[in-house]
Amino acid sequence: MLKKLLTMVVLVFCTACSQSSGPTQVGPNRTVTIGPDQTAQSLVDTAGYSWSTSGDLDVSTITAPLIKRTETMVLVVFNRSISSQNAIEEMKSRHLHPANVYECLAFGATIADVRSKYSIACLGQYLQGGDSGEALYIESDDSDLNWGLVTADWGKDWYGNMRFLAVRD
């Protein structure tokens, strides 16, 4: 029994180690429909986001696309510290482009099982504020009780376990 318990502890420890280093991983496809019938505020309300920001982002200024469409989105984890610009370049090399703010809100409102598990950065739209601008991300602490939308300095390096929302080209 003790040997089995120790084996389980080692497996959990090794799994946690492998999640913070290693090759870039692209998650499974997620389908999200976006369109003019969904305002940014309605997406915030549907997802139940707590809305906090270090900048002056006003949700009423986020415009919906004019044409309804379905997007295939994926989460990318680089497993290393990475700058916003390098993350975008690596996504593009994989035929992905970073999700904009509206796509991020739609993803969070649609894919509830993921948004509360990971912090997810959306680098497809540069927001004014901070020294080098800001990026929106869904912040999570691995619980369904404490997550919301925040902004972070665009020029920062992101942690290796950060997920980035991308749209397939």
Side-chain angles (χ1 to χ4, degrees):
M1 177 69 174
L2 181 59
K3 184 176 181 180
K4 188 175 185 178
L5 180 61
L6 288 174
T7 303
M8 288 173 44
V9 169
V10 169
L11 286 174
V12 170
F13 178 75
C14 290
T15 301
C17 292
S18 69
Q19 292 173 356
S20 62
S21 64
T24 299
Q25 298 171 334
V26 178
N29 291 341
R30 304 287 183 139
T31 303
V32 177
T33 301
I34 60 176
D37 56 330
Q38 301 169 306
T39 66
Q41 185 61 59
S42 72
L43 294 172
V44 168
D45 294 344
T46 298
Y49 290 122
S50 61
W51 183 267
S52 62
T53 179
S54 57
D56 297 321
L57 180 63
D58 179 359
V59 71
S60 67
T61 64
I62 302 168
T63 57
L66 298 175
I67 299 170
K68 187 174 185 175
R69 65 184 192 269
T70 300
E71 296 284 4
T72 302
M73 299 183 185
V74 295
L75 291 177
V76 180
V77 61
F78 295 103
N79 288 312
R80 67 184 184 283
S81 178
I82 192 166
S83 70
S84 298
Q85 191 59 44
N86 286 343
I88 291 170
E89 288 172 12
E90 193 161 327
M91 281 186 243
K92 287 181 179 180
S93 75
R94 296 170 181 276
H95 303 286
L96 302 168
H97 63 269
N100 65 34
V101 171
Y102 184 86
E103 292 163 337
C104 182
L105 295 176
F107 179 86
T110 306
I111 314 293
D113 65 317
V114 175
R115 70 171 183 236
S116 61
K117 291 181 184 176
Y118 310 111
S119 292
I120 304 169
C122 302
L123 301 178
Q125 193 167 356
Y126 181 86
L127 306 172
Q128 292 184 356
D131 292 335
S132 60
E134 295 185 343
L136 180 80
Y137 73 99
I138 301 170
E139 183 176 51
S140 174
D141 70 351
D142 298 330
S143 81
D144 289 333
L145 304 175
N146 188 19
W147 55 278
L149 297 171
V150 294
T151 57
D153 183 24
W154 180 270
K156 74 180 268 179
D157 277 355
W158 299 92
Y159 293 115
N161 63 349
M162 175 65 78
R163 271 52 177 181
F164 295 84
L165 185 60
V167 180
R168 291 207 177 273
D169 291 338

